[in-house]
C-alpha cells in the first residue's frame, strides 16, 4: 500500500516504520494516524515480520498531535468522534514486539506514541515532554497515565504542569527509556535489537508482551498466576522442546513458532 506520511521497509523479519511529515516535525494528523494504524496492522499480520521498529527523523520522532488540525474543533466534534480513541491506539493492540527509536522531539502525542511501544531506545538528542498545558489543554493519548507509570507521580506532575522537556539522560535515569545511544547509531541499534528479538520464538515474544502488559492492569497475585499459567502453556509448544534441547546440545535453537 502506498503511504504519504510514513515510510515502511521490511528487511530480515524486521518492519521499520518511519514517520515522515518533515514540514510539521511529524505532527500526528488524521492521515498519519490512519496510515500508521494500517501499516501496524499489516506488519502484525505479515508472517515475514517478527519485530517492528517505529522511528521518526533526526529532528523529531513526533512533535505531538497536529495542533493546526485540532485548533478549530469543538467539544461536540471531539466527543462524537471519540478523537484519539481509535487509530491512535492501534499500536497497543499489536501483538508483535514494537520498539520506539526516538531522536529529537517526542512531545505530547509523540511522547505518548513512544510510550505505547514496548520499549524506547533514545538517541542522545532525544527530548521528551507533555507540553499540552501550554496550549490550554491536557494530554489526550495516555500521557497522564503512562508517563506516571514510567517515571512516578512527582516527575510526571512536573512534566505535565510545567510543560518542560526531559533530555535523554534524564529519561534513562527516570526509567522512561531502556537505553541511550549516539544519534548516528540510533536506527542501527534499534534494528539490531529488533533482529535479536526476531530470532526468538514469536510465541514466547507475544507471551512476554501479554505478561508484562498485564502487570499494569492487575494485582500482583493475579499477575503472578497469569504469568505462571502462560509459562505452563509454553510446554505445549515445539519451541519449548527445541529451545531446551538446543541448550542441552550446546547449539543455537531454531524456533518455528509452533
Ligand atoms: N502540530 C502542528 N504543527 C507542528 C507541530 C504540532 N504539534 N509541531 C511543530 N509543527 C510545525 C510548526 O508549526 C512549523 O510549521 P510552519 O513552518 O508551517 O510554521 C514546523 O512544524 C516546524 O516547527 P517550528 O518552526 O516550531 O520548529 P522549532 O525548531 O522552532 O520548534 C518545537 C520545535 C519546540 C517542537 C515546536 O515546534 C513546538 O513547540 N511544537 C509543538 C509541541 C507541542 O505543543 N506538542 C503537543 C501537541 S498537543 C498534543 O499532542 C495533545 C495530545 O496529547 C494528544
Amino acid at each position: 500500500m502506498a503511504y504519504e506520511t510514513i515510510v515502511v521497509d521490511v528487511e530480515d523479519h524486521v518492519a521499520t516504520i518511519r514517520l515522515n511529515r518533515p514540514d510539521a516535525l511529524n505532527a500526528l494528523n488524521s492521515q498519519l494516524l490512519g496510515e500508521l494504524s494500517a501499516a501496524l496492522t499489516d506488519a502484525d499480520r505479515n508472517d515475514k515480520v517478527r519485530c517492528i521498529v517505529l522511528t521518526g527523523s533526526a529532528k523529531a520522532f513526533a512533535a505531538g498531535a497536529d495542533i493546526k488540525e485540532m485548533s478549530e474543533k469543538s467539544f461536540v466534534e471531539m466527543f462524537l468522534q471519540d478523537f484519539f480513541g481509535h487509530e491512535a491506539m492501534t499500536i497497543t493492540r499489536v501483538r508483535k514486539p514494537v520498539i520506539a527509536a526516538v531522536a529529537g522531539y517526542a512531545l505530547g502525542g509523540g511522547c505518548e506514541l513512544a510510550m505505547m511501544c514496548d520499549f524506547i531506545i533514545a538517541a542522545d538528542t532525544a527530548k521528551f515532554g507533555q507540553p499540552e498545558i501550554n496550549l490550554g489543554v491536557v494530554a489526550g493519548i495516555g500521557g497522564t497515565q503512562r508517563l506516571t507509570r514510567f517515571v512516578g507521580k512527582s516527575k510526571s506532575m512536573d512534566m505535565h504542569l510545567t510543560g518542560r522537556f526531559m533530555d535523554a539522560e534524564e529519561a534513562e535515569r527516570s526509567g522512561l527509556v531502556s537505553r541511550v545511544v549516539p544519534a548516528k547509531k540510533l536506527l542501527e541499534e534499534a534494528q539490531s535489537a529488533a533482529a535479536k528479538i526476531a530470532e526468538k520464538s514469536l510465541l514466547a515474544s507475544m507471551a512476554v508482551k501479554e505478561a508484562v502488559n498485564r502487570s499494569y492492569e492487575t494485582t500482583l497475585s493475579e499477575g503472578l498466576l497469569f504469568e505462571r499459567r502462560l509459562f505452563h502453556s509454553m510446554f505445549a509448544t515445539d519451541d519449548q522442546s527445541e529451545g531446551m534441547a538446543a541448550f542441552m546440545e550446546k547449539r543455537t535453537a531454531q524456533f518455528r513458532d509452533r
Side-chain angles (χ1 to χ4, degrees):
M1 185 171 162
Y3 297 118
E4 289 175 357
T5 60
I6 60 171
V7 178
V8 183
D9 173 57
V10 178
E11 209 177 314
D12 295 337
H13 303 294
V14 175
T16 301
I17 303 177
R18 183 164 57 82
L19 307 181
N20 188 35
R21 289 187 73 210
D23 295 343
L25 301 184
N26 294 333
L28 311 172
N29 65 359
S30 309
Q31 183 183 4
L32 185 148
L33 288 173
E35 292 185 356
L36 178 59
S37 174
L40 286 166
T41 305
D42 268 8
D44 212 23
R45 287 186 187 144
N46 183 344
D47 290 340
K48 289 194 191 108
V49 174
R50 304 170 66 80
C51 191
I52 300 165
V53 173
L54 179 62
T55 195
S57 68
K59 182 158 184 196
F61 176 74
D66 192 308
I67 301 166
K68 292 170 190 166
E69 188 181 67
M70 287 185 300
S71 63
E72 299 294 323
K73 290 207 182 281
S74 67
F75 163 75
V76 171
E77 285 173 272
M78 296 297 255
F79 180 75
L80 288 179
Q81 292 170 17
D82 194 17
F83 208 77
F84 295 140
H86 306 284
E87 287 172 327
M89 303 285 188
T90 300
I91 200 155
T92 62
R93 291 187 289 274
V94 172
R95 299 186 68 209
K96 292 174 184 170
V98 186
I99 303 173
V102 175
Y105 297 110
L107 305 176
C111 185
E112 293 166 309
L113 188 61
M115 290 191 290
M116 283 188 274
C117 297
D118 295 314
F119 63 97
I120 304 173
I121 300 181
D124 49 11
T125 57
K127 288 187 181 60
F128 298 88
Q130 297 288 162
E132 290 88 346
I133 194 137
N134 297 330
L135 303 167
V137 295
V138 60
I141 324 179
T144 60
Q145 306 304 298
R146 290 199 174 88
L147 188 63
T148 307
R149 284 164 161 85
F150 276 103
V151 306
K153 176 184 165 185
S154 189
K155 199 176 281 285
S156 177
M157 283 286 194
D158 178 359
M159 302 294 295
H160 283 98
L161 288 172
T162 67
R164 77 174 175 88
F165 300 165
M166 193 194 276
D167 66 17
E169 192 273 324
E170 184 181 1
E172 186 181 28
R173 182 159 33 91
S174 315
L176 177 57
V177 311
S178 70
R179 30 181 144 157
V180 178
V181 301
K184 278 192 182 140
K185 296 230 159 181
L186 176 67
L187 199 56
E188 187 186 320
E189 286 271 345
Q191 285 175 329
S192 129
K196 195 164 279 182
I197 292 168
E199 289 170 6
K200 321 287 185 206
S201 162
L202 190 56
L203 298 171
S205 303
M206 286 177 166
V208 165
K209 277 192 67 158
E210 287 191 4
V212 173
N213 286 331
R214 187 56 74 102
S215 74
Y216 279 101
E217 306 288 347
T218 192
T219 62
L220 179 60
S221 58
E222 285 300 319
L224 291 171
L225 178 61
F226 181 77
E227 178 200 81
R228 200 162 62 250
R229 292 290 178 251
L230 262 183
F231 174 66
H232 296 161
S233 73
M234 305 312 287
F235 286 74
T237 69
D238 291 348
D239 284 351
Q240 172 271 328
S241 313
E242 167 62 9
M244 294 193 179
F247 173 80
M248 288 185 297
E249 292 159 21
K250 300 189 188 303
R251 61 175 174 82
T252 306
Q254 301 295 324
F255 294 117
R256 294 187 302 161
D257 307 334
R258 290 186 200 158

